[in-house]
Amino acid sequence: LVGKTTLLKNMVGELEPSAGNIWKHHNLRVSYIAQHSMHHLEANLEMAPKEYIQRRFFLGRDKELASMATMEMSEEDNAQRKVRGNVCEILGRAVKGGSLCYEVKKIGDRPGVTRWEPQQFLKAPYVVKMTRHYDEMIKASQSGLDIRPLTSVEVYAHLSDFGISMELADSKIKRMSGGQKSRLGLG
């Protein structure tokens, strides 16, 4: 039996399931606001909200997402990427013959040689993490995150939409009230 929070953490990838599998469509984006959703902010209390947003979403990638257990590449994972015959890079994604396939580069292949591998054959845990990273990159690109500017003007306007003034956006997060922190977390 699993609690609601554990179920959600498994669905978004914060936890690995202790038994069984979780299947999600590669284009599915799941998010939630946790009961204790301020944990992302707690590590950044000395930062200003504007700086927090700019650092967290630099280059259109959510750094908090990349640090989840189901996404974070360990030293062992990175070592596996260097073994001859193993996948070292994901270059593309397409549906071929009704199956989701990834274009992969393998250690030892001639330069420029890639292969299309069906997802069901990419079972190694480090490769699954690589496919998740690639899928997140595609989702960020499709949503415009990778081209949306993180200039001060853009971030001020974004934070303003959540009731955070320019003055508050330039002060330290630790000086914000609980409600203001919640709005920053939503932003």
Side-chain angles (χ1 to χ4, degrees):
L1 192 60
V2 174
K4 297 180 293 281
T5 300
T6 304
L7 175 64
L8 280 170
K9 285 184 176 185
N10 275 279
M11 288 173 61
V12 299
E14 270 187 51
L15 293 175
E16 290 279 359
S18 55
N21 297 312
I22 294 178
W23 180 89
K24 294 183 286 191
H25 190 275
H26 59 277
N27 284 330
L28 176 68
R29 295 187 85 174
V30 178
S31 61
Y32 75 107
I33 299 173
Q35 290 170 313
H36 308 289
S37 60
M38 298 306 127
H39 70 278
H40 297 298
L41 297 178
E42 295 303 317
N44 299 290
L45 292 176
E46 295 297 322
M47 234 183 253
K50 177 181 72 84
E51 181 185 9
Y52 169 75
I53 295 290
Q54 288 173 320
R55 286 191 182 189
R56 180 171 174 179
F57 296 101
F58 183 67
L59 298 177
R61 302 293 308 273
D62 185 347
K63 288 187 176 121
E64 297 296 338
L65 180 67
S67 68
M68 290 182 179
T70 57
M71 300 272 293
E72 191 170 25
M73 297 292 283
S74 67
E75 286 182 30
E76 184 179 322
D77 292 331
N78 286 321
Q80 287 294 310
R81 293 174 67 179
K82 297 174 184 170
V83 173
R84 185 173 181 79
N86 281 0
V87 173
C88 64
E89 192 174 356
I90 305 288
L91 302 168
R93 181 183 80 191
V95 175
K96 294 183 174 278
S99 294
L100 180 64
C101 297
Y102 288 89
E103 183 180 16
V104 300
K105 180 178 176 184
K106 294 188 175 187
I107 293 292
D109 283 348
R110 292 186 326 268
V113 171
T114 62
R115 311 162 193 226
W116 286 94
E117 298 277 350
Q119 181 182 28
Q120 64 263 28
F121 297 133
L122 300 172
K123 296 287 188 194
Y126 84 98
V127 179
V128 171
K129 290 178 183 179
M130 291 172 67
T131 61
R132 287 180 182 146
H133 276 280
Y134 190 83
D135 291 344
E136 288 303 320
M137 182 186 73
I138 294 295
K139 287 185 254 185
S141 177
Q142 290 172 340
S143 70
L145 271 178
D146 62 336
I147 59 170
R148 187 172 180 186
L150 282 175
T151 63
S152 294
V153 171
E154 175 73 20
V155 175
Y156 286 136
H158 178 78
L159 290 173
S160 177
D161 290 342
F162 288 87
I164 298 172
S165 68
M166 187 182 293
E167 182 180 335
L168 191 55
D170 284 329
S171 64
K172 292 185 179 187
I173 292 171
K174 72 179 182 181
R175 294 195 177 107
M176 298 176 87
S177 70
Q180 291 166 331
K181 287 179 185 174
S182 293
R183 290 197 307 271
L184 176 60
L186 286 171

